[in-house]
Amino acid sequence: MTEIYRDPSVAIDDRVADLLGRMTLEEKVAQLGTVWLTALVQDEAFDADRAAEQLADGIGQVTRIGASTGLLANESAGLGNDIQRVLVERTRLGIPAVIHEEGVGGFLHRGATTFPQGLGLAATWDVDLMAEVAEVIRTQMTAVGARHNLSPVLDVARDPRWGRVEETYGESPELCARMGVAYVKGLQTDNLANGVVCTGKHFLGYGYSLGGRNQAPVHLGDRELREVYAEPFAAAIREAGLASIMNSYSSIDGVPVAASRAMLTDLLRGELGFAGTVVADYFAVMQLHFNHMTAADPAESAIQALSAGLDIELPALDCYKHLPAAVLEGRIDESIIDESCARVLAQKIQLGLFENPYVDTDAALAVFDTPDQRALACRAAAEGVILLKNDGVLPLNPSISKVAVIGPHADDPRLLQGDYHYPAHLEIIYLNRSAEMLEAMEALGMEQGVDQLPEAGGTFSPGPHFTPHVTPLEGLRAALPHTEIIHAVGCADTGDDASGIEEAVAAAESADVAIVCVGARSGLVADATVGEARDATDLGLPGVQSQLVALIAATGTPMAVVVISGRVHTLEAASAAANALIWSILPGEEGGSAIAQVLTGEVNPSGRLPVTLPLHVGQIPLHHDMRRRGDRSEFYGSYVDRDTDALYWFGHGLSYTTFGYGELSVVAGSTTEATTVSVPVANNGQHDGDEVVQLYVTDEVASVARPIRELIGFARVAIPADESRTVTFTVHPSRLAFHGLHMALATEPGSFTFRIGGSSFDPNMREATVDLTGDTASYDRRSIIPTTSSST
């Protein structure tokens, strides 16, 4: 007779109850843990007998096959099958594991398509494009048997000193929510049996730590925490059924999130309605006793985390392995373990793992980096190119005689990658096992993980395996076949060696135009200048790159500066010196093709800033939706030494055509009925183009201080030359709700100003103020209805 838990015709809750009732305490705890892939490898080969011995009680998840090895897709799929076979055939209950991986800017796996980094995707403001990218990631992950993706990063980024801003979708809760929802829908699909579990991270407030220092404490009020930092997570939960959440490393007001029941249960499950699994950020449970010092030892760390609502310890079963003893000692009740274990088992059943634990190894390679996927990567990179300034030097004339392509980022494929791209991320294994790195990891309580990393040079070692990458130099040579293209590096991306600048200046002087490619190096190792654990106090261009830009400008040759970086730089000097200024945010494998398409006019630039570019690091935090009085220094308005204005505000981006906005039409609703906002947008230029139409709102009088203006909707609209489109937004009153004096979420009646334009501080923005009638209406974060748009 088939056990109930194996019967797919039985309801999930009944299958879980049956299986849970059969499990020993040790088997339950094993489902709450993970095992490093490399712990199952011996003598450069998978050892099934050793794995069977190690996994006798089963295991919840396997930590990163693709993101810790150099295996090709078919090899990775085969290894996953081997591990599943041990669990299915050689453990008492035959419970398959979930293999988890990363996917911020594409599947972090050898040979997978390298899309732009998260912030670069956000710069497209294109939710449909994001869904297409997510579909590729899902296809590649499922092909190798990876069913849990530790993405997307839903942190709202308000401090550019923080190295991980590049992984986020920017500073706006609305933009983060829309891009995050599209990503989750594309990966999870409507049925997890066909999809991949997404993990929203990092819950909560991780991107607003003290001094922009990674993992540092966070100090935020309950109102800001909910309205700004929780909103992208809330949207992904209510609109896309987000199936997993990862905790933040940080403490909030002194309580580590990994041990905070207020965050992981009361807020997440109670207020936001989350029903999935909560996974630990790597080593976060261990850090309760190692860093935060709220626990005396690993056992106490496990008790704190599980009691808070953290279901699964990643990346290994380091602390949770002490839970069986803690139960026997009466320190934690077994029912708490049962509750988390039930969630883990339910998700495995939803994924269909009991029925389909294996994948077709022969088919895996066929869905990795196909021509269509590369074309999508190119389109994503091109749509995300942001033209910040242009005095007419762009687009390049196709008959131009000579172009100098200069700078460290002009012809280095590595500098097109972000910290969660393969192989940049894997440098931590194959490039830098230095004493400095090992000491840093040990300081974070990660010494056991270091021991389990594969050694460089072995069968499983990742090595610098790039997909074919197109650099800007290569892209321009392909785009301008009849133009003489000369190249000079000028300087490195770091360091003070300026000896190559003279050659670069000579190259610029001999050319009709200079394309100067500069930026930062993203990664996790010590020589990276942006990325996870690579925070900064100076937001200028690293090394002597600013000197390079200045000296090229001094030649008088028209110059376009292309910043290829995940860092939010202060570019005041570069902007003043350049004839044109472009930001391409870690564009991935087709980045050079995309940049060349924009430079030559083959693609009309349409990227928009997902963050505000400050004039100076001393202005931080600086974002478009500051609360009242946050935009100035009273009572003179400016700082003693400079203005409070930004260099370029959130939402800014130019085109090779011009868009004109007509009069705004607002049909006011009430506190319970929707408001519609319409505007005609005309393409008054000679080029077809996409305009990102942005809707902002100001609550003129409220019971608490509200943002000066906040983004509540946007639409990316294609408008041919000499044509117009009318864009209409429908704003549900719940979208105007906020937490009042007593923290109740409600929409208050009164005056609201709606503004529509091409950026958050567009001087030509159209606006209208209307009154919303009715009584104060109560809402909750589970039921907020997003703004919708249409164009005719």
Side-chain angles (χ1 to χ4, degrees), residues 26-182:
E26 287 74 18
E27 288 169 334
K28 294 173 186 176
V29 169
Q31 290 301 310
L32 308 185
T34 48
V35 60
W36 279 100
L37 161 72
T38 48
L40 307 177
V41 173
Q42 189 168 8
D43 298 328
E44 291 300 316
F46 175 69
D47 187 331
D49 292 334
R50 183 180 185 216
E53 181 180 349
Q54 284 187 285
L55 306 178
D57 291 322
I59 198 69
Q61 297 200 1
V62 175
T63 295
R64 307 199 328 174
I65 295 177
S68 62
T69 75
L71 299 178
L72 295 170
N74 59 325
E75 298 167 329
S76 178
L79 179 57
N81 282 349
D82 290 341
I83 295 169
Q84 297 288 32
R85 193 168 289 109
V86 168
L87 291 166
V88 171
E89 298 178 4
R90 299 179 65 174
T91 63
R92 188 175 72 89
L93 296 170
I95 304 172
V98 171
I99 298 169
H100 74 251
E101 299 282 3
E102 302 276 1
V104 172
F107 183 16
L108 208 167
H109 191 291
R110 181 179 178 182
T113 308
T114 307
F115 294 100
Q117 182 76 309
L119 194 66
L121 292 169
T124 70
W125 293 57
D126 190 338
V127 293
D128 294 332
L129 173 72
M130 176 63 88
E132 292 184 59
V133 169
E135 184 178 352
V136 172
I137 297 171
R138 173 175 57 83
T139 299
Q140 294 177 346
M141 291 188 76
T142 55
V144 300
R147 302 299 300 279
H148 191 143
N149 178 10
L150 301 184
S151 303
V153 178
L154 297 176
D155 296 303
V156 175
R158 295 285 174 86
D159 192 331
R161 295 172 295 181
W162 184 48
R164 303 190 73 174
V165 169
E166 65 177 52
E167 300 170 39
T168 76
Y169 300 135
E171 72 181 39
S172 162
E174 173 70 8
L175 182 58
C176 292
R178 295 305 104 219
M179 301 305 280
V181 166

Side-chain angles (χ1 to χ4, degrees), residues 303-326:
I303 293 168
Q304 288 184 6
L306 191 68
S307 299
L310 201 160
D311 298 313
I312 306 173
E313 182 182 14
L314 303 185
L317 199 58
D318 292 321
C319 297
Y320 277 18
K321 66 185 178 185
H322 298 285
L323 287 171

